[in-house]
C-alpha cells in the first residue's frame, strides 16, 4: 500500500499462521545463524555504538545484491529492538540509523553500494497455543534510495 494514501507502493504488511514451534520461528526471524537469505551477501552485528541504549537493542549491518546490473547493490545499517508485548507476543522492530563510526556512507559507496533507508521493518509473533502454531505479522516501509526510488517508490 502507499503510506501517503495515493502514489507508489512503499509499505508491506502480511499475516501468516505458521505451523512451527514458537522458538523455532523466533530463531528464524532473528536469523540466529546469520544465514545469507534473499540476495543478502553480507550480514553481521557491529559495535554497540552511541545508538545502543539497552540490552534488547543491537546494531546490524547487511548488504543485498541487486541482480541484473542496472542498479547498485543496497546496504542497511539498522537499529534492532526486540521485546515482549503485554499480551505475551514477541516483537522485533528495525529502523535505519546513521552512524559514521560504525559503518560510514563513504565505505558503502566505495563498495559500490547505496544505503537504503528502512523507515520501519518488524515482526510480531503470537503463540496460538494448543499446537495451533504461531501468528506471524510482518511489516515494512523501505526507501531503496538511488535510481530505484524514482522508479519503484
Amino acid at each position: 500500500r502507499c503510506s501517503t494514501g495515493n502514489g507508489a507502493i512503499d509499505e508491506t504488511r502480511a499475516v501468516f499462521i505458521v505451523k512451527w514451534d514458537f522458538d523455532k520461528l523466533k530463531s528464524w526471524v532473528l536469523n540466529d545463524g546469520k544465514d545469507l537469505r534473499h540476495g543478502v551477501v553480507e550480514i553481521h552485528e557491529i559495535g554497540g555504538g552511541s545508538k545502543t541504549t539497552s540490552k534488547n537493542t543491537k546494531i546490524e549491518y547487511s548488504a543485498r545484491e541487486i541482480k541484473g546490473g542496472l542498479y547498485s547493490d543496497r546496504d542497511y545499517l539498522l537499529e534492532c529492538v526486540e521485546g515482549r508485548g503485554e499480551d505475551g507476543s514477541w516483537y522485533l522492530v528495525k529502523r535505519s540509523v546513521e552512524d559514521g563510526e560504525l559503518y560510514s556512507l563513504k565505505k558503502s559507496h566505495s563498495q559500490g553500494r547505496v544505503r537504503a533507508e528502512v523507515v520501519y521493518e518488524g515482526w510480531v509473533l503470537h503463540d496460538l497455543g494448543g499446537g495451533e502454531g504461531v501468528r506471524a505479522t510482518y511489516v515494512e516501509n523501505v526507501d531503496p534510495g538511488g535510481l530505484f526510488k524514482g522508479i519503484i517508490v
Side-chain angles (χ1 to χ4, degrees):
R1 78 180 199 110
C2 175
S3 61
T4 60
N6 79 20
I9 296 171
D10 64 358
E11 228 172 43
T12 302
R13 179 174 182 254
V15 179
F16 310 91
I17 303 298
V18 182
K19 298 290 186 173
W20 275 6
D21 171 74
F22 181 88
D23 290 329
K24 180 179 178 180
L25 184 56
K26 178 182 169 188
S27 179
W28 182 86
V29 167
L30 286 170
N31 196 4
D32 287 336
K34 297 300 179 227
D35 299 322
L36 299 180
R37 306 177 184 158
H38 314 296
V40 173
V41 294
E42 181 181 350
I43 184 169
H44 54 269
E45 288 180 35
I46 57 178
S50 58
K51 305 284 191 261
T52 301
T53 58
S54 76
K55 66 179 182 172
N56 295 334
T57 303
K58 65 181 180 179
I59 304 294
E60 177 182 276
Y61 174 81
S62 65
R64 185 175 303 263
E65 179 183 44
I66 306 297
K67 301 232 185 249
L70 292 174
Y71 303 102
S72 299
D73 294 346
R74 297 301 189 258
D75 73 355
Y76 311 82
L77 185 61
L78 303 171
E79 176 183 48
C80 309
V81 180
E82 68 174 286
R84 289 272 181 187
E86 290 180 12
D87 63 354
S89 61
W90 173 85
Y91 62 84
L92 173 66
V93 179
K94 298 180 180 186
R95 67 179 181 149
S96 286
V97 294
E98 293 182 28
D99 193 324
E101 293 177 23
L102 293 175
Y103 207 99
S104 71
L105 286 173
K106 185 176 180 180
K107 184 174 180 181
S108 291
H109 291 291
S110 72
Q111 295 173 319
R113 295 173 177 161
V114 172
R115 179 72 46 88
E117 179 189 1
V118 175
V119 178
Y120 60 81
E121 176 186 358
W123 288 89
V124 177
L125 304 182
H126 184 81
D127 192 345
L128 298 174
E132 293 296 314
V134 180
R135 184 178 63 239
T137 304
Y138 175 76
V139 295
E140 76 171 10
N141 183 319
V142 178
D143 176 352
L147 289 175
F148 250 148
K149 183 175 184 172
I151 294 171
I152 297 176
V153 178

